[in-house]
Amino acid sequence: MGIAFESLYSDIAGRTGKLTVGKKTIKTPALLPVINPHLQLVTPKEIQSMGVEALITNAYVFSQSRQFRERALDEGLHKVLDFDGVIMTDSGSFQLSVYGQVSITNTETLFFQRDIGSDIWVPLDIPTSPDADRQTAEQELAITMHRLAEAREVFGKDAPLAGPVQGGIFNDLRERAGRQVTDLGFPFCPIGAVVPLMESYRYQDLVSVVMAVKRTLTPSACVHLFGAGHPSMFALATAMGCDLFDSAAYALSAKEGRYLTTHGSFKIDELADLPCACNVCRTHTAEELRIAPDRERLLALHNLYVTLAEISRIRQAIFDGTLWELVDERCRGHPQLLSGYRELLNRTISLEKSDRISKRRFFYRGDESCSRTEIFRYQQMLSRLQLGNSVLVAFDGGMRNEFNDTLFFKPPFGPYPKELKETFPIGQSEIPEWDDAMVRKGCRGIKILIESHPDSRFVVSCNPCWEAIVRQELGNIEVRNDQI
Ligand code: GUN
Ligand code: ZN
């Protein structure tokens, strides 16, 4: 029994890992499709055949269902849904956030989740609306925390309990909640009440909330982003350290005639072609899909394929160390995602701590790339270089004998000794034609070098076209024209 999480590869604050629940283990990051027993566009068995190892369903719906309640209690959830992977059950908190109340208590829903054989149980947390004032958020958080403590007390520390983290949009409350959930020993922590933020494209607030929780949550906890189902934001959320997503979006979008892609959704009525490699899209034209009698099901299948493919792409990116490139690509799909991405880039210093040492490559993708963790880490390392009395930083790569040391220059990283030419990140970074932003950033590296070596004299030799930037960044440093 119990829940255990082990991380394998990491990139930024994201990781691939293994979540073990009882005797079952699933790969993370993972997507848990949401199953509504009354409305199965795609059956759990079909979903399992697509490679899905875990799904989530709503225990409250089962508990209120004349059709399913007794069957679930008698036969168990896995039999009723015909799925032998991991099944997580939600408590009814979502109904609480929509309808304001539910006719079930915390311990009642947990006993029910246990009795129907759920693999992961969720207490009755209170999803605080982002509009709630501080006092309300604080009161609701206190109730949630009380219920989590009650759950641990009644069911013991080995029960497969999730510990949802609430706190509204107040970062200090989210930090407090993360700390308390950690202190209570929950190894599995969903971040709650983020659906309204995502529905209104408030990705900047989402980044702020998730990063606040991650600051205090133990890194060994498996983090589930509750209700996150649009594939365009998985890369961003993974980069912050979210391990699980649950998607009702695949089915809800299908009902509304929406076709998901990794860079946004389209109304099926507006599509002239189907830009996707999945089976549905390769065997139908846009017109055929539009008028198909089982259009909702076909759309749900496509949406699920796209969503699952994105999870695989993210796992591969983490393995390769190319998650920043993927986040950059995805976050250009919507201006609000770009805002979220920029908010993430503001947190380079804390992200650098969990980032890995070496990666397959670093592709420069414009100004945003200048804020990446690898540059911050490289430039911090520069202060440890041992240098003589006179140092030349040669933009053109040419040696001059009159100096004790000659360093070369690769923007956006900055100066480097020839011994680092083949090592990460200097050797594995691909940059286009130099631009102002990257040269300016590289000059910050020279600045760190100068400040950390007060006994050395520094000279920069560069093409005259960079002289103005060098002087702006480095003040009255000696600059030579490298064309002479
Ligand atoms: N589903 C989406 N958001 C939430 C949340 O905050 N809590 C629970 N229990 N379920 C959710
Ligand atoms: Zn498709």
Side-chain angles (χ1 to χ4, degrees), residues 293-327:
D294 56 345
R295 146 179 150 157
E296 231 174 83
R297 175 183 147 75
L298 292 173
L299 270 175
L301 277 171
H302 157 83
N303 290 344
L304 209 45
Y305 277 123
V306 169
T307 306
L308 293 171
E310 180 67 358
I311 295 285
S312 294
R313 202 173 282 120
I314 287 171
R315 288 190 199 142
Q316 182 65 35
I318 292 174
F319 180 75
D320 287 338
T322 55
L323 189 57
W324 270 126
E325 280 82 354
L326 187 61
V327 172

Side-chain angles (χ1 to χ4, degrees), residues 40-302:
Q40 295 187 22
L41 284 177
V42 188
T43 66
K45 201 163 192 67
E46 284 175 286
I47 287 178
Q48 193 157 32
S49 75
M50 295 163 83
V52 169
E53 298 180 300
L55 51 79
I56 181 167
T57 190
N58 196 307
Y60 189 68
V61 170
F62 273 88
S63 75
Q64 305 295 304
S65 164
R66 260 201 260 154
Q67 190 184 350
F68 289 108
R69 180 187 165 90
E70 294 310 317
R71 270 192 68 201
L73 284 168
D74 291 346
E75 301 170 24
L77 259 188
H78 294 80
K79 188 101 179 285
V80 173
L81 292 178
D82 194 14
F83 182 85
D84 59 12
V86 169
I87 303 182
M88 174 174 176
T89 40
D90 200 356
S91 53
S93 297
F94 183 67
Q95 281 76 6
L96 193 65
S97 70
V98 178
Y99 305 111
Q101 56 182 38
V102 284
S103 55
I104 201 162
T105 67
N106 184 41
T107 47
E108 276 166 4
T109 177
L110 289 169
F111 277 116
F112 183 75
Q113 292 177 60
R114 183 194 68 183
D115 292 345
I116 60 179
S118 165
D119 295 303
I120 302 175
W121 320 337
V122 179
L124 195 66
D125 57 317
I126 303 184
T128 299
S129 155
D131 302 328
D133 60 26
R134 194 189 155 85
Q135 197 189 358
T136 309
E138 201 160 4
Q139 284 167 354
E140 291 183 347
L141 177 59
I143 297 171
T144 295
M145 292 318 304
H146 179 76
R147 290 176 182 173
L148 299 199
E150 177 182 53
R152 297 288 286 191
E153 234 160 71
V154 174
F155 295 92
K157 73 173 179 30
D158 284 335
L161 283 162
V165 179
Q166 299 289 349
I169 52 160
F170 300 96
N171 287 343
D172 61 320
L173 296 185
R174 290 284 185 171
E175 283 179 15
R176 185 194 298 174
R179 201 175 299 118
Q180 291 178 343
V181 166
T182 297
D183 290 346
L184 284 169
F186 283 94
F188 182 100
C189 305
I191 299 179
V194 289
V195 170
L197 295 179
M198 295 183 289
E199 280 175 350
S200 49
Y201 295 87
R202 289 169 62 180
Y203 291 108
Q204 203 174 347
D205 289 335
L206 179 74
V207 168
S208 177
V209 160
V210 172
M211 291 298 286
V213 175
K214 286 292 288 192
R215 271 198 289 283
T216 53
L217 213 53
T218 168
S220 64
C222 182
V223 177
H224 175 166
L225 195 61
F226 245 144
H230 200 292
S232 62
M233 54 78 65
F234 290 170
L236 177 67
T238 304
M240 295 189 278
C242 297
D243 307 295
L244 298 181
F245 305 97
D246 64 88
S247 175
Y250 79 96
L252 296 176
S253 303
K255 283 191 93 50
E256 294 162 6
R258 299 188 78 83
Y259 180 96
L260 300 186
T261 79
T262 50
H263 40 272
S265 319
F266 297 92
K267 287 296 266 184
I268 181 68
D269 301 328
E270 292 164 357
L271 282 178
D273 217 319
L274 302 176
C276 167
C278 89
N279 191 43
V280 171
C281 299
R282 298 300 26 105
T283 55
H284 296 79
T285 64
E287 176 62 18
E288 284 165 356
L289 185 54
R290 213 170 359 257
I291 59 174
D294 56 345
R295 146 179 150 157
E296 231 174 83
R297 175 183 147 75
L298 292 173
L299 270 175
L301 277 171
H302 157 83

Side-chain angles (χ1 to χ4, degrees), residues 307-376:
T307 306
L308 293 171
E310 180 67 358
I311 295 285
S312 294
R313 202 173 282 120
I314 287 171
R315 288 190 199 142
Q316 182 65 35
I318 292 174
F319 180 75
D320 287 338
T322 55
L323 189 57
W324 270 126
E325 280 82 354
L326 187 61
V327 172
D328 186 282
E329 189 158 327
R330 291 299 179 250
C331 289
R332 288 169 200 277
H334 192 285
Q336 292 308 325
L337 270 173
L338 186 57
S339 283
Y341 174 34
R342 288 179 174 161
E343 185 66 32
L344 186 71
L345 288 167
N346 283 335
R347 308 188 183 236
T348 301
I349 296 174
S350 73
L351 292 170
E352 184 270 337
K353 294 186 179 68
S354 57
D355 200 14
R356 67 203 254 170
I357 305 289
S358 183
K359 308 194 180 193
R360 183 179 289 257
R361 59 168 195 248
F362 176 114
F363 275 4
Y364 185 82
R365 298 173 60 95
D367 291 13
E368 275 80 13
S369 298
C370 289
S371 302
R372 281 174 56 162
T373 43
E374 299 91 338
I375 304 172
F376 176 75

Side-chain angles (χ1 to χ4, degrees), residues 433-453:
E433 192 93 320
W434 292 12
D435 62 39
D436 287 8
M438 67 165 91
V439 172
R440 206 175 279 287
K441 187 75 189 182
C443 286
R444 305 273 167 87
I446 303 178
K447 190 163 185 184
I448 288 176
L449 204 60
I450 293 173
E451 285 168 359
S452 56
H453 296 79

Side-chain angles (χ1 to χ4, degrees), residues 396-418:
D396 67 343
M399 304 281 278
R400 310 283 196 287
N401 289 334
E402 55 191 289
F403 294 90
N404 298 120
D405 291 290
T406 299
L407 303 177
F408 306 128
F409 184 77
K410 183 161 189 181
F413 301 99
Y416 70 92
K418 72 171 186 314

